[in-house]
Amino acid sequence: MQNLVQFPKEAGPIGIFDSGYGGLTIYNEIKNLLPEYDYIYLGDNARTPYGTRSFNIVYEFTRQAVRCLFSQGCQLVILACNTASAKALRSIQQLDLPHLDPNRRVLGIIRPTVECIGEITKSRHVGVLATEGTIKSLSYPLEIRKLFPDIKVTGEACPIWVPLVETNEFASDGADYFVKRHIDNLLARDKDIDTIILGCTHYPILIDKIRKYVPEGITVLTQGAAVAESLQRYLQRHPEMDALCTKGGVSRFFTTESDGKFGNQASLFLNRQIEVETVTLI
Ligand code: DGL
């Protein structure tokens, strides 16, 4: 069991965690909305994808990532990964934070994503494209039902989409086949869907291909803006946490894989060169 004294107590950067590159789509929106804060982004690229892994493994890997970010001084960590939010968030909040440090916070991204859905869908039929882990957890239908019991939710797991992004094949011709197949599967199961949630942070990187195969008239919802706005409201509601987040406008990037590889790929998604450090999660 970790003890409380091992983590720095003073204010620190906001931690943003994903299994790989996908959380950069969330980081980008957060950084645009809240540029004054410091951030540490951590991608567990060495062990991605999480979407096909068991509950226990995702929980253990996510817990290691949270500990790593805490040891870097983060008082607030965002799980910018739906799979980790679906499978590990509640256990970390309820079982780990009381031991690690009850004053720190770990937040997920599913709730902020579904909060806006009631205003977007007119047909009240919503589709969710996500990893196998997120779909099987039923987190999206359960969260949506709590807020909007009249909305029917249909999910489709897209297990190959994350590897397409992680292996830099997201723009290749071959990617079209897999992108189209899962969109067609989803829409075949419910013809009244008028809104599709991209419930995996990697998927906005495939957005050009997704838009190509989603029929006109259907809204494709990415999560970044909703998560960023929700974080902004959270910091306004919790000035005590805001005071524990440093504001120097500096971002650092950590990966569990090669720093050079992460730097090249991430620079593409971010449109700028970045410095990257390799870390080991234990
Ligand atoms: N980007 C992550 C998500 O939002 C998961 C990707 C994966 O590792 O399978 O679910």
Side-chain angles (χ1 to χ4, degrees), residues 18-23 44 47-53 80-85 109 130-132 134 159 162-163 166 198-203 223:
D18 181 45
S19 63
Y21 297 113
D44 190 6
R47 302 189 294 194
T48 196
Y50 279 18
T52 43
R53 294 185 185 272
C81 174
N82 292 270
T83 312
S85 298
I109 58 170
T131 66
E132 200 179 305
T134 300
V162 169
E166 291 288 324
L198 299 188
C200 172
T201 55
H202 281 68
Y203 295 178
Q223 304 178 273

Side-chain angles (χ1 to χ4, degrees), residues 93-229:
Q93 287 174 334
Q94 293 177 356
L95 305 177
D96 296 294
L97 277 183
H99 303 297
L100 292 171
D101 184 344
N103 296 320
R104 288 173 204 247
R105 291 290 172 267
V106 178
L107 306 177
I109 58 170
I110 293 179
R111 180 72 183 219
T113 304
V114 306
E115 274 170 356
C116 58
I117 205 76
E119 285 170 18
I120 298 174
T121 173
K122 300 278 176 287
S123 70
R124 314 311 273 174
H125 288 247
V126 166
V128 179
L129 297 169
T131 66
E132 200 179 305
T134 300
I135 295 297
K136 282 193 176 151
S137 75
L138 298 179
S139 296
Y140 272 95
L142 291 171
E143 285 298 327
I144 291 174
R145 191 175 310 144
K146 279 185 213 159
L147 298 176
F148 312 107
D150 61 316
I151 294 181
K152 176 175 162 32
V153 183
T154 305
E156 165 79 4
C158 315
I160 202 80
W161 287 16
V162 169
L164 287 174
V165 171
E166 291 288 324
T167 56
N168 209 6
E169 290 290 339
F170 60 93
S172 71
D173 291 344
D176 283 65
Y177 171 79
F178 292 105
V179 170
K180 180 174 184 323
R181 186 166 81 176
H182 290 299
I183 291 169
D184 289 350
N185 285 350
L186 178 72
L187 297 177
R189 295 224 300 286
D190 182 352
K191 296 194 171 21
D192 294 323
I193 288 172
D194 72 350
T195 306
I196 297 178
I197 299 174
L198 299 188
C200 172
T201 55
H202 281 68
Y203 295 178
I205 293 167
L206 288 157
I207 193 74
D208 291 344
K209 295 217 186 279
I210 293 170
R211 287 203 199 286
K212 191 166 152 191
Y213 295 110
V214 169
E216 241 174 82
I218 296 182
T219 303
V220 177
L221 183 71
T222 56
Q223 304 178 273
V227 171
E229 283 159 23

Side-chain angles (χ1 to χ4, degrees), residues 221-239:
L221 183 71
T222 56
Q223 304 178 273
V227 171
E229 283 159 23
S230 168
L231 176 62
Q232 184 179 47
R233 289 193 299 273
Y234 177 87
L235 291 168
Q236 285 163 356
R237 276 200 318 276
H238 296 277

Side-chain angles (χ1 to χ4, degrees), residues 12-34:
I14 295 173
I16 299 180
F17 168 66
D18 181 45
S19 63
Y21 297 113
L24 292 171
T25 63
I26 302 287
Y27 161 80
N28 248 344
E29 299 280 351
I30 292 179
K31 174 78 181 159
N32 282 342
L33 188 68
L34 303 166

